[in-house]
Amino acid sequence: MPRQVHRGSILHFPHTTSDPASHYQYFNDGVLVTENGRVTHLGEASDFFRLPANQQLLNYGGVELHKGLLIPGLIDSHVHFPQVEMIASYGKQLLDWLNEYTFPTEKQFANEEYANAQAEFFLSQLIAHGTTTASVFATVHPQSVNAFFNAAESIQARMICGKVMMDRFCPDDLQDTPEQGYRDSKALLERWHKNGRALYAITPRFAPTSSPEQLAKAGQLANEHPDAFIQTHLSENLGEIEWIKELYPQHPDYLGVYEAYDLVRDRALFGHAVHLQPREYQGLKTSGASVSFCPSSNLFLGSGLFNYDKAKADGIKIAMASDVGAGTSLSLFANQADAYKICQLQNSSLNPFESLYLCTQGAASAMDIDHLVGNLNPGSEADFVELDFMATPMLQQRLLRCKTLSEQLFAIITLSDERIIERTYVCGNLVYKKGSKVCGLNSTSGLRYLSNGSM
Ligand code: GUN
Ligand code: ZN
């Protein structure tokens, strides 16, 4: 990809920090240069051009001018691609929701053609919502992982994905076995991990649907591949936690189950962590594992209120996540708005810079990929989005009345959905512009397939 010069206002967090409100970098009139898929320069426009303002553009023919705000591509640390079609399923909490809606939906992904179509649909939606990196659960079927990585490869997106491992307490045709789950996962890992921008996550769904034998095999695979990711669920729902006590009575708590099978370490990503015991907070901190704050999901399933302040004070790595289809939006802005309300219910106000940090540099740092994505530092991969300040009349009017960047950011977070995304760039390439399809993907294929009635 040839050199491209982008000029506009730019906001990012250049390094890992516990105080993002003091450590952001903002250019009111900035320049971002990309070349061969990476950022090569970030700075003030006046420094870059070193010419009076009105001559600058004449001398730099290829400058892309942006009216909106450029920020790093958003990172969704926990999302289920097969569940995008069952988002907004009514009336259940976690365990009933899984049985009633999730498992029947995931069965369809045995069909490779169906998996391919839905992978493309999901990815096109992710990009249209400004998310350029995600840690993605596929289904138990290996072909669902291939479907997702093939789609991601077609636009060169930096994605983490894994085959769900589950060998009990779900429909027979969704079960693998400890040995088969291990072999399939290992083959997928060897095919995809670090292949282009793909990264593999060993993915036992959660401790209830894996036998001790299966968790042991997942841990074995993790030990064989120390730089692979691990993703699963932890302490989301009170009924789930009671069930863990019955199934795994010998362990001190929910995290203790995963610890016993070597599944708690750097690059292990635990979704939810809503109802943790003090020992579990300590275990997460000392292991280097991270937790995904899934605000809209936790509200939608009535799971509980994630204690952000406690997790942060205990030094746990935290990243934001949509957890679609339990989450109600792929928009990490909509999820940030829910995160704010969850904190408010616990007498705390989540700072807007901190909130955005949890979807960019903070997420990348928690997931150990901040040397690749999450910021716009020279050398980082050139994934970024342009936000449209005029996305809606309400937003436009509110922003006109804001006096500070912090106020603007908070209004954007509170009032936004996917309409805020004007453009999405992956590896320096424009892959989405509002109102058009995602380049390289047949973004309506999932819908077309369904309306054919061929399933
Ligand atoms: N726990 C186990 N599986 C799931 C899932 O698919 N979604 C959510 N929210 N929690 C889970
Ligand atoms: Zn989940």
Side-chain angles (χ1 to χ4, degrees), residues 78 80 233 272 323:
H78 180 119
H80 301 254
H233 296 84
H272 303 288
D323 192 33

Side-chain angles (χ1 to χ4, degrees), residues 174-408:
L174 279 182
Q175 289 182 25
D176 54 13
T177 63
E179 190 53 40
Q180 189 68 42
Y182 167 84
R183 263 192 279 122
D184 287 347
S185 300
K186 191 170 179 69
L188 288 164
L189 194 159
E190 287 171 353
R191 172 169 178 195
W192 288 110
H193 190 54
K194 299 187 170 173
N195 177 352
R197 297 185 84 197
L199 296 166
Y200 194 80
I202 299 160
T203 308
R205 177 171 218 119
F206 66 155
T209 49
S210 285
S211 63
E213 295 72 30
Q214 179 160 74
L215 291 183
K217 293 301 280 183
Q220 179 189 332
L221 187 57
N223 286 329
E224 288 163 3
H225 297 275
D227 70 350
F229 293 82
I230 298 166
Q231 61 181 352
T232 186
H233 296 84
L234 172 70
S235 213
E236 175 178 2
N237 165 286
L238 293 174
E240 170 202 19
I241 294 166
E242 285 308 304
W243 199 19
I244 289 286
K245 285 182 191 153
E246 286 168 28
L247 295 172
Y248 289 97
Q250 65 278 35
H251 300 293
D253 44 44
Y254 200 155
L255 188 73
V257 177
Y258 295 128
E259 286 169 341
Y261 297 102
D262 291 348
L263 292 166
V264 186
R265 67 174 194 198
D266 273 328
R267 295 197 163 198
L269 320 176
F270 291 96
H272 303 288
V274 172
H275 305 283
L276 297 179
Q277 299 300 313
R279 200 203 70 82
E280 295 176 289
Y281 282 102
Q282 282 317 304
L284 285 165
K285 182 206 157 90
T286 50
S287 66
S290 72
V291 299
S292 295
F293 181 6
C294 306
S296 71
S297 166
N298 292 161
L299 293 173
F300 181 72
L301 291 182
S303 300
L305 304 178
F306 176 71
N307 193 335
Y308 175 74
D309 285 356
K310 164 110 180 103
K312 183 181 176 191
D314 283 357
I316 295 169
K317 300 174 184 171
I318 309 166
M320 196 76 80
S322 73
D323 192 33
V324 162
T328 50
S329 175
L330 282 178
S331 166
L332 286 171
F333 282 102
N335 274 282
Q336 289 178 71
D338 283 340
Y340 179 81
K341 294 166 198 161
I342 285 176
C343 292
Q344 282 287 77
L345 283 165
Q346 299 170 96
N347 294 315
S348 157
S349 307
L350 182 57
N351 179 283
F353 289 105
E354 190 150 342
S355 180
L356 183 63
Y357 176 79
L358 294 173
C359 306
T360 55
Q361 169 66 24
S365 166
M367 297 160 73
D368 194 24
I369 51 173
D370 57 326
H371 54 297
L372 303 170
V373 293
N375 58 63
L376 300 174
N377 296 329
S380 291
E381 295 171 348
D383 296 346
F384 55 100
V385 298
E386 178 184 350
L387 306 184
D388 173 14
F389 289 153
M390 321 259 222
T392 67
M394 290 280 283
L395 182 66
Q396 192 179 350
Q397 190 185 72
R398 180 66 185 90
L399 289 177
L400 283 173
R401 285 157 176 75
C402 290
K403 294 190 180 60
T404 64
L405 180 61
S406 174
E407 281 177 21
Q408 285 179 338

